[in-house]
Amino acid sequence: QVQLVESGGGSVQAGGSLRLSCAASGYTYMSAYSDACMGWFRQAPGREREGVAAIWTGGGTTYYDDSVKGRFTISQDNAKNTMYLQMNSLKPEDTAMYYCGFEPGWCGGSWVRKLRSGYWGQGTQVTVSS
């Protein structure tokens, strides 16, 4: 199985920064962590879950939604079994529950679709005020 635990969420004023972490474990994770797609989704009340960013652990290729490109940075530390999302210049529109996801294999050109069918954590809340 795969266990994903998010942390680092909280409340911040617009323009501030947060770093989210996703600690991964489990047999399935350990068997595929070196060649997998990992990423972050977010969901605000009353809205669909949307892709934020993803990274292919096999080569470090990253993917970003246009709404966060230039402000957010995704990274993966295989030695620590942890994925990060550095969020800078936060906006009220970024307020949402943030989830980390995992799916074995290359992210490909449809990383949102791939991760939607993968494993997910419980989420961590990010609130950005004006």
Side-chain angles (χ1 to χ4, degrees), residues 4-16:
L4 303 169
V5 181
E6 301 93 338
S7 62
S11 298
V12 64
Q13 293 185 355

Side-chain angles (χ1 to χ4, degrees), residues 12-19 42 66-73 85-95 98 126-130:
V12 64
Q13 293 185 355
S17 299
L18 287 172
R19 189 181 76 162
R42 65 186 181 186
D66 288 340
S67 66
V68 305
K69 195 167 187 177
R71 299 188 297 122
F72 292 8
T73 303
L85 184 68
Q86 179 66 46
M87 305 185 296
N88 298 324
S89 301
L90 283 163
K91 305 175 180 179
E93 305 93 273
D94 296 318
T95 296
Y98 283 71
V126 172
T127 302
V128 184
S129 62
S130 300

Side-chain angles (χ1 to χ4, degrees), residues 44-130:
R47 302 187 64 84
E48 294 184 352
R49 184 175 296 190
E50 63 179 4
V52 177
I55 184 169
W56 177 50
T57 63
T61 305
T62 57
Y63 310 83
Y64 295 94
D65 183 77
D66 288 340
S67 66
V68 305
K69 195 167 187 177
R71 299 188 297 122
F72 292 8
T73 303
I74 189 171
S75 61
Q76 163 72 12
D77 188 337
N78 286 336
K80 296 182 178 180
N81 299 319
T82 303
M83 178 180 63
Y84 305 96
L85 184 68
Q86 179 66 46
M87 305 185 296
N88 298 324
S89 301
L90 283 163
K91 305 175 180 179
E93 305 93 273
D94 296 318
T95 296
M97 183 73 76
Y98 283 71
Y99 303 88
C100 68
F102 175 92
E103 182 69 13
W106 179 50
C107 292
S110 300
W111 61 273
V112 173
R113 183 186 305 170
K114 185 172 182 67
L115 286 174
R116 278 178 173 172
S117 64
Y119 300 89
W120 294 94
Q122 291 295 107
T124 184
Q125 178 67 39
V126 172
T127 302
V128 184
S129 62
S130 300

